[in-house]
Amino acid sequence: MTFAADASFGWSDWHPHIDVWLVMVACAVLYAAAIKAWAPAPVGAERVGASRVQITFFYCGLAILWIGADFPIHDLAENYLFSVHMFQHLLFSLVAPPLILLGIPSYVMRRLFSPRWLWRLARFATRPVVALIAFNFVIAFTHWPALVDAAVTSELLHFTLHLVLFVTATMMWWPVVAPLPEFARLSEPAKMLYLFLQSIVPTVPASFLTFASAPIYKVYVSAPRLWGLDVVTDQRIAGLLMKILGGLILWVAIAIIFFRWNAKEQNGEVEEVPWEDFERELQAWDMRST
């Protein structure tokens, strides 16, 4: 099976990216070791470690990263189509990070951030306003034409940008799926507002991609064409993916939060928020001095 009429790219071209395999296997092994070795003290005859749901979430998130970084997505994104490049970024920023965060038990997080300086840095970096600004700055910066053209031709720069994108995306998702209650946490309505704001910001670069009548990225002008897509159509598909698919992922998350919150309210599990808690939430949003 080939991907296009252009027979220069097909499943017969499959090859593993050894560096990706090594990193992903190392992450899987370290996670398995951490959830076992750092589990809380035994209760009865067994240790209380990660749940099956958490383990499933983590390995699903890791698998998403692996799929995005390996053949064929990596090769298509780097050598052929900007639309696949955009799809790859959506996997790295909107799909894998929340799954990985949901899969890491709180006791592992506390151990990872045990150095006081790292704990303070993480608390600051995951504050909602800080995380939102950092992630969207990276989104805008990584779509700067000169940077995209340079990254596609440099493996080291490309890897670095993907790492920064993943880290800031993890920061962005933290207030929504925060595994540590010690960090700033948002109420369900605040989480929905937060994700709604995140769904709006990327529409700016998405609009430039969708409505541009000329190629924005020079490196893809000379790239071999697949699936009969010219460079401008490929660019427009990338913009639509960023806007529609990216927005859909965020709105699905909003819907999940809403229905879970509504179910708790119906069961009488939602309590009124005391004024002191509301003040702490405002502090988390940087809406008053701390």
Side-chain angles (χ1 to χ4, degrees):
M1 175 181 177
T2 59
F3 286 92
D6 184 346
S8 64
F9 190 87
W11 285 113
S12 59
D13 298 313
W14 181 87
H15 60 281
H17 292 271
I18 301 301
D19 53 342
V20 174
W21 286 53
L22 291 175
V23 170
M24 296 303 164
V25 170
C27 289
V29 171
L30 289 173
Y31 174 79
I35 61 175
K36 182 178 181 180
W38 294 346
V43 177
E46 297 182 358
R47 286 181 176 269
V48 179
S51 67
R52 290 184 179 180
V53 173
Q54 288 175 317
I55 293 171
T56 300
F57 273 135
F58 182 87
Y59 284 120
C60 283
L62 197 63
I64 294 296
L65 286 179
W66 196 330
I67 290 170
D70 206 1
F71 184 92
I73 291 179
H74 173 81
D75 298 73
L76 285 168
E78 194 169 77
N79 302 315
Y80 296 91
L81 299 170
F82 182 65
S83 54
V84 180
H85 188 105
M86 180 64 71
F87 179 72
Q88 182 186 48
H89 279 203
L90 292 177
L91 294 180
F92 291 162
S93 60
L94 298 184
V95 182
L99 291 175
I100 288 176
L101 281 175
L102 288 168
I104 300 178
S106 57
Y107 66 85
V108 173
M109 279 290 185
R110 291 189 182 96
R111 189 66 176 265
L112 290 173
F113 293 119
S114 57
R116 180 167 295 184
W117 68 269
L118 188 57
W119 182 269
R120 290 177 176 174
L121 176 62
R123 288 195 66 177
F124 172 78
T126 57
R127 296 176 72 174
V129 170
V130 174
L132 200 67
I133 292 175
F135 176 66
N136 285 284
F137 172 80
V138 170
I139 288 292
F141 184 65
T142 53
H143 287 89
W144 181 34
L147 188 61
V148 172
D149 291 339
V152 171
T153 56
S154 170
E155 284 284 348
L156 179 60
L157 179 58
H158 207 174
F159 172 80
T160 302
L161 291 177
H162 283 171
L163 179 61
V164 172
L165 177 66
F166 176 77
V167 170
T168 54
T170 302
M171 290 165 52
M172 186 274 290
W173 280 104
W174 188 288
V176 181
V177 291
L180 289 179
E182 298 93 328
F183 283 58
R185 302 190 69 173
L186 301 176
S187 64
E188 274 69 16
K191 290 177 182 179
M192 290 186 282
L193 174 60
Y194 176 82
L195 290 175
F196 171 72
L197 292 174
Q198 175 54 46
S199 71
I200 293 175
V201 178
T203 60
V204 177
S207 297
F208 280 107
L209 292 170
T210 304
F211 296 109
S213 58
I216 295 177
Y217 305 107
K218 295 179 180 178
V219 69
Y220 285 102
V221 173
S222 57
R225 308 318 307 165
L226 293 179
W227 301 327
L229 295 175
D230 61 83
V231 65
V232 174
T233 301
D234 175 40
Q235 188 173 273
R236 288 174 177 168
I237 292 174
L240 292 173
L241 283 173
M242 188 179 192
K243 170 59 179 174
I244 299 176
L245 182 58
L248 179 62
I249 293 171
L250 293 169
W251 277 99
V252 167
I254 291 172
I256 291 172
I257 294 169
F258 173 78
F259 285 115
R260 291 183 63 182
W261 175 54
N262 184 65
K264 288 181 180 179
E265 193 173 51
Q266 293 295 326
N267 294 329
E269 299 177 21
V270 177
E271 300 178 356
E272 292 186 7
V273 181
W275 178 252
E276 293 77 9
D277 291 347
F278 183 69
E279 282 193 317
R280 283 195 291 270
E281 192 162 293
L282 291 181
Q283 289 178 358
W285 279 82
D286 290 340
M287 295 175 66
R288 66 188 296 274
S289 58
T290 57

